[in-house]
Amino acid sequence: QVQLVESGGGLVQPGGSLRLSCAASGFRFSMYEMSWYRQAPGKERELVATISTNIRTNYADSVKGRFTISRDNAKNTVWLQMDSLKPEDTAVYYCYAPLTLGGSWGQGAQVTVSS
């Protein structure tokens, strides 16, 4: 069974940092591109960052220079390091793998950036 489990969310002040983790199991992790998405209340789900099987990365313009995606295939884990957080980064963040029709999703991690 495929499982993606996010952790590391929380509440931080603007300018602060958080690191999200996604623990993957049930599939050959090293053979799939992994992504982080987010969805804010009342807004569409958006792609935040991707990391390929050969560790190439891509970022949404809104987070470029502030967020870093990484992975360790030996640990079946992908991270999202979030620095210089802004209130507009507040959202539920989801780990994603393109495994089935519609993809495979984690349960989500709440990130709240507020004073």
Side-chain angles (χ1 to χ4, degrees), residues 49-114:
T50 62
I51 184 164
S52 72
T53 56
N54 59 356
I55 322 302
R56 297 179 186 177
T57 59
N58 287 284
Y59 300 92
D61 288 343
S62 59
V63 307
K64 192 173 298 181
R66 300 187 297 118
F67 290 13
T68 304
I69 188 171
S70 59
R71 69 190 295 166
D72 187 333
N73 291 337
K75 297 180 179 179
N76 288 354
T77 301
V78 59
W79 295 271
L80 185 67
Q81 177 68 43
M82 303 181 291
D83 299 319
S84 301
L85 283 161
K86 304 174 181 179
E88 50 262 48
D89 295 319
T90 296
V92 178
Y93 285 71
Y94 297 93
C95 184
Y96 173 85
L99 293 173
T100 62
L101 185 64
S104 296
W105 300 87
Q107 83 286 356
Q110 177 68 52
V111 172
T112 303
V113 185
S114 176

Side-chain angles (χ1 to χ4, degrees), residues 1-3 24-29 76 99:
Q1 58 183 18
V2 173
Q3 288 188 301
S25 61
F27 66 100
R28 191 90 75 89
F29 177 81
N76 288 354
L99 293 173

Side-chain angles (χ1 to χ4, degrees), residues 5-12 17-23 36 79-80 82 85 93 107-112:
V5 181
E6 299 99 334
S7 61
L11 190 154
V12 295
S17 297
L18 283 175
R19 186 181 67 182
L20 302 180
S21 296
C22 173
W36 288 95
W79 295 271
L80 185 67
M82 303 181 291
L85 283 161
Y93 285 71
Q107 83 286 356
Q110 177 68 52
V111 172
T112 303

